[in-house]
Amino acid sequence: MELLKSLFMVTSVGILLGAGLPALFSLSIHFLSPGPDGTSPSGGKKAIGWLFLAIVGIAVIAALLLIARERIEYFTGWDPYPFL
């Protein structure tokens, strides 16, 4: 049972990061793009687009910090993920 639980967790995170982040990025571009007549998107669409883009940006920065964690700690003494 523990194996199935672990398999489910790994699969769900893989689906979330593998399909969820690109989907959020494409939705942000969709919400930020002008309408068919060339008008600027409304305030609500623009806010949702920037929110989705910020989530994707934070995820990318967090992943880069995780990848370069040891190098950052070696050169600066700062550990971006002290709980790992």
Side-chain angles (χ1 to χ4, degrees):
M1 191 63 175
E2 187 67 29
L3 178 65
L4 289 176
K5 183 179 176 184
S6 299
L7 182 63
F8 175 74
M9 292 293 287
V10 167
T11 304
S12 61
V13 168
I15 289 172
L16 176 70
L17 295 178
L21 287 176
L24 277 180
F25 179 74
S26 66
L27 282 173
S28 71
I29 297 301
H30 171 73
F31 284 129
L32 291 173
S33 64
D37 55 352
T39 59
S40 179
S42 66
K45 285 180 71 172
K46 195 179 281 189
I48 292 172
W50 283 111
L51 175 70
F52 287 169
L53 200 58
I55 291 170
V56 171
I58 289 170
V60 167
I61 289 170
L64 288 174
L65 286 175
L66 183 65
I67 292 169
R69 178 178 161 231
E70 291 181 9
R71 178 75 53 159
I72 292 169
E73 187 175 10
Y74 177 76
F75 283 114
T76 66
W78 174 63
D79 188 8
Y81 293 100
F83 49 85
L84 291 180

